[in-house]
Amino acid sequence: MILKINKKIVGYKVVTKETAEAAKQEEQQALERMHENVERPEVLVGSTYKIKTPQSEHALYITINDIILNQGTEHEERRPYEIFINSKNMEHFQWVLALTRVISAVFRKGGDACFLVEELKAVFDPRGGYFKKGGVFMPSLVAEIGYAIESHLKHIGMIKSEVMSDHQKQFLEEKRREFEAQHGSSEGQAFPEKAVLCTKCSTKAMVLMDGCMTCLNCGESKCG
């Protein structure tokens, strides 16, 4: 690359590998990181997620507010700062309030908070879970809160979504057409009526095709 110099040279510096690495380290140290002493701005951006379960006539509204670090630079990043859960149903008020305070504290502590998602999704209600629209099984209300947090972390880029290839989508669509041709159409439903629960994606979408159990939602197959 040719660079034309139009001004008088008043000084110069030879950049070596060592000085370049030192400059990079200084830049990394100067970046704003998430930690418990980060001061809360007056205004935070966020999203609200609605949860409606068959266990209550009232919905829960989960609001997650984010802080933007290193705003206006190439290192700008959005990180969760606090969470609130509101509902007209006061039955779970105590543990919901405690849960939001603990999760908010973990968010503000910094580091990778993605582990919260798997911990919450693994909570099972001893009274039994429930199916959501589309055949997705929720083992508990806490687990559904975990799924909502997961959706938000995917939205801001902290968790990378697993994208199914076009070939996989086409394969599953062909499998579904074959199954419906043999067992009848499933119009108005997300997946066939005879589908069973997939242990990988917790969706009632696994069917028996060609002697092999295959999930029409995530592609999980018992035959590998």
Side-chain angles (χ1 to χ4, degrees), residues 38-44 66-68 81:
V38 170
E39 187 176 349
R40 186 190 189 282
E42 291 293 325
V43 178
L44 293 175
D66 307 318
I67 188 171
I68 300 177
Y81 186 86

Side-chain angles (χ1 to χ4, degrees), residues 141-153:
L141 178 57
V142 174
E144 189 159 6
I145 292 172
Y147 276 97
I149 294 174
E150 181 181 41
S151 297
H152 186 76
L153 297 186

Side-chain angles (χ1 to χ4, degrees), residues 5-6 8 14 19 35 39 41 43 67 81 100 117 128 131 133 154 169 184 186-187 205 213 216 220:
I5 301 175
N6 297 317
K8 184 179 179 180
V14 178
T19 56
H35 55 83
E39 187 176 349
V43 178
I67 188 171
Y81 186 86
T100 57
V117 170
F131 282 95
K133 188 177 180 181
K154 286 180 177 179
K169 291 178 182 178
S186 55
E187 290 183 8
M213 294 298 290
L216 300 176
E220 174 73 355

Side-chain angles (χ1 to χ4, degrees), residues 118-179:
E118 295 306 320
E119 293 295 333
L120 295 176
K121 286 165 60 176
V123 175
F124 288 80
D125 189 335
R127 296 174 299 176
Y130 52 89
F131 282 95
K132 290 180 62 64
K133 188 177 180 181
V136 179
F137 178 73
M138 286 294 163
S140 66
L141 178 57
V142 174
E144 189 159 6
I145 292 172
Y147 276 97
I149 294 174
E150 181 181 41
S151 297
H152 186 76
L153 297 186
K154 286 180 177 179
H155 172 65
I156 65 176
M158 284 187 69
I159 294 179
K160 302 300 179 185
S161 301
E162 293 182 12
V163 181
M164 197 178 294
S165 67
D166 293 335
H167 174 73
Q168 287 176 305
K169 291 178 182 178
Q170 185 179 354
F171 172 76
L172 292 179
E173 189 59 37
E174 289 174 359
K175 282 285 186 182
R176 177 167 185 159
R177 283 197 294 267
E178 289 177 24
F179 187 86

Side-chain angles (χ1 to χ4, degrees), residues 171-172 175 198 200 206-207 209 211-216 218-224:
F171 172 76
L172 292 179
K175 282 285 186 182
C198 172
K200 182 180 179 181
M206 187 163 272
V207 297
M209 289 292 296
C212 183
M213 294 298 290
T214 302
C215 180
L216 300 176
C218 69
E220 174 73 355
S221 174
K222 297 300 181 182
C223 301

